[in-house]
Amino acid sequence: GARAELTAVLKRAPSFSWASLELTRVYAALGDAEKALATAKAGAESARDDGMAALLWAHAALHARDADQRRRCAAEVKARN
């Protein structure tokens, strides 16, 4: 399925931000906020483009467990805009 394909793509090309974004969405749709958060953060940290990094940090904030984590993600978004 999509999860397996996107995971395989990211193993070959970890900085392929669109795959990170889509895999984040897959995990969110499956109800796995922890994996969605981890995938978004990893994608943001490896993104080559500040706009894409900001988008991935924003998605990470959506899946953050607590307010402190959301604030850290929001600060990363702001730093890239």
Side-chain angles (χ1 to χ4, degrees), residues 15-28:
S15 64
F16 184 37
S17 299
W18 287 107
S20 294
L21 179 61
E22 291 306 316
L23 186 56
T24 297
R25 291 176 175 163
V26 167
Y27 284 132

Side-chain angles (χ1 to χ4, degrees), residues 2-3 5-7 9-10 16-30 35-36 39-40 43 52 55-56 59 63:
R3 180 177 52 189
E5 289 293 324
L6 291 164
T7 300
V9 167
L10 287 169
F16 184 37
S17 299
W18 287 107
S20 294
L21 179 61
E22 291 306 316
L23 186 56
T24 297
R25 291 176 175 163
V26 167
Y27 284 132
L30 293 172
K35 285 188 178 178
T39 302
M52 182 55 83
L55 179 60
L56 284 158
H59 275 270
H63 305 292

Side-chain angles (χ1 to χ4, degrees), residues 57 61 69-79:
W57 279 116
Q69 202 171 43
R70 282 189 293 279
R71 278 191 293 276
R72 285 193 302 263
C73 292
E76 291 290 345
V77 171
K78 188 174 180 180

